[in-house]
C-alpha cells in the first residue's frame, strides 16, 4: 500500500508568503484536525500544508516494530512528506523557512524524515514521538541541522512512546547539530498541553 498525494492547505497561499508549516497528523487523525492546531501557534503569516494519510494511519504497527513490518506504508509516508517539502520549494519557499509540526505517529514520522534529511530548516515541533524502528540505526541519519530549533514534548510514561526512545532520539538530533529542547511531563497522558504550545511559539515560531 502507498499513500495518495493528498495535501490539504490553509493559511496563506505559497505564492503569497515566505514561510510554510507542514503539519503531520497522528494515527486516527486527519489533516483537517491537525490544521486546526495552527490557531494556537504564531503562524498567522504562514502557508499551512497537511498531507492526509490513507485510512487515517501512516503505517500499521508500532513505530518500534521491526521496520520491515511497517513497509511499504512507512516509505510511502516519508515520500509524502518529501513531496510536501518539494511543493513548498517549487513555489520559492527557502528551506530555512520550512517548519514542521507533528503529533504522535505524525511526530515520529516528522522526526524520522528530518533526521534522514538534516539541513537548516525553520524549526520543528514533535509532540510525543521518536525515531522509528525496533532499534535506532544511526547510519540512516545524515546531514547537518545547522542549529535548527527542534522542540520535543512528551509524557512519562506514555502508552505508545517510551521516554528511553525519546532521549535516544534527542542524542541523534543533537549529534546532527540540531538545537533540541525537550520537555517531559509526568503522567500527563497522550495529548498536547498549553505549556507545549507556549514553548513551541517561543522556541520555534518566534
Amino acid at each position: 500500500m502507498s499513500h495518495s498525494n493528498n495535501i490539504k492547505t490553509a493559511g496563506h497561499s505559497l505564492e503569497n508568503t515566505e514561510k510554510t508549516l507542514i503539519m503531520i497528523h497522528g494515527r486516527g487523525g486527519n489533516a483537517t484536525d491537525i490544521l486546526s492546531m495552527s490557531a494556537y501557534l504564531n503562524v498567522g503569516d504562514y502557508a499551512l500544508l497537511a498531507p492526509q494519510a490513507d485510512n487515517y494511519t501512516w503505517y500499521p504497527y508500532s513505530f518500534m516494530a521491526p521496520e520491515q513490518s511497517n513497509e511499504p506504508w512507512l516509505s510511502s509516508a516519508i515520500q509524502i512528506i518529501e513531496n510536501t517539502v518539494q511543493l513548498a520549494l517549487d513555489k520559492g519557499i527557502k528551506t530555512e523557512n520550512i517548519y514542521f509540526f507533528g503529533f504522535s505517529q505524525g511526530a515520529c514520522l516528522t522526526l524520522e524524515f528530518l533526521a534522514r534529511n538534516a539541513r537548516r530548516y525553520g524549526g520543528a515541533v514533535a509532540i510525543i514521538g521518536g525515531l522509528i524502528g525496533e532499534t535506532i540505526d544511526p547510519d540512516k541519519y545524515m546531514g547537518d541541522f545547522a542549529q535548527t530549533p527542534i522542540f520535543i514534548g512528551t509524557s512519562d510514561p506514555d502508552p505508545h512512546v517510551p521516554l528511553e526512545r525519546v532521549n535516544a532520539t534527542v542524542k541523534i538530533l543533537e549529534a546532527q547539530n540540531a538545537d533540541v529542547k525537550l520537555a517531559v511531563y509526568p503522567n500527563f497522558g497522550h495529548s498536547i498541553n498549553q505549556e507545549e504550545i507556549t514553548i513551541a511559539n517561543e522556541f520555534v515560531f518566534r
Side-chain angles (χ1 to χ4, degrees):
M1 173 189 153
S2 60
H3 294 284
S4 309
N5 200 45
N6 181 8
I7 301 170
K8 307 294 185 184
T9 61
H12 288 264
S13 69
L14 287 168
E15 292 84 0
N16 294 320
T17 187
E18 294 182 351
K19 295 182 178 181
T20 187
L21 172 60
I22 296 171
M23 308 188 78
I24 312 297
H25 70 78
R27 187 190 302 270
N30 60 58
T32 303
D33 287 344
I34 197 76
L35 282 170
S36 71
M37 278 299 304
S38 67
Y40 304 97
L41 305 174
N42 292 338
V43 295
D45 57 346
Y46 291 49
L48 308 175
L49 305 176
Q52 171 66 53
D54 288 10
N55 298 321
Y56 306 99
T57 186
W58 292 109
Y59 44 85
Y61 302 112
S62 164
F63 83 112
M64 292 180 66
E67 197 169 312
Q68 197 54 41
S69 69
N70 276 317
E71 295 293 1
W73 300 273
L74 176 58
S75 290
S76 175
I78 289 172
Q79 184 62 53
I80 291 295
I81 298 185
E82 196 167 308
N83 294 349
T84 308
V85 170
Q86 192 60 50
L87 177 63
L89 294 173
D90 289 346
K91 294 294 185 179
I93 306 291
K94 296 178 180 178
T95 309
E96 59 264 32
N97 286 329
I98 297 176
Y99 295 75
F100 299 84
F101 184 101
F103 172 68
S104 190
Q105 193 184 56
C108 296
L109 196 56
T110 297
L111 293 168
E112 185 70 18
F113 170 81
L114 290 173
R116 293 188 188 192
N117 301 276
R119 54 194 298 190
R120 175 67 205 202
Y121 298 100
V125 176
I127 306 298
I128 311 182
L131 292 173
I132 295 172
E134 189 173 20
T135 59
I136 290 180
D137 177 9
D139 292 339
K140 281 197 304 185
Y141 308 119
M142 56 192 71
D144 186 330
F145 281 113
Q147 287 293 288
T148 296
I150 299 177
F151 169 54
I152 301 175
T154 196
S155 176
D156 181 35
D158 180 83
H160 306 290
V161 181
L163 183 58
E164 180 182 15
R165 175 55 61 92
V166 176
N167 288 331
T169 298
V170 170
K171 288 183 178 179
I172 293 284
L173 299 174
E174 288 180 337
Q176 293 178 282
N177 196 24
D179 181 10
V180 183
K181 182 184 288 287
L182 171 64
V184 180
Y185 300 91
N187 302 305
F188 179 74
H190 199 75
S191 187
I192 302 173
N193 65 49
Q194 181 56 53
E195 186 174 294
E196 288 169 324
I197 295 297
T198 300
I199 295 172
N201 282 328
E202 293 177 350
F203 184 63
V204 177
F205 306 114
R206 51 196 173 197

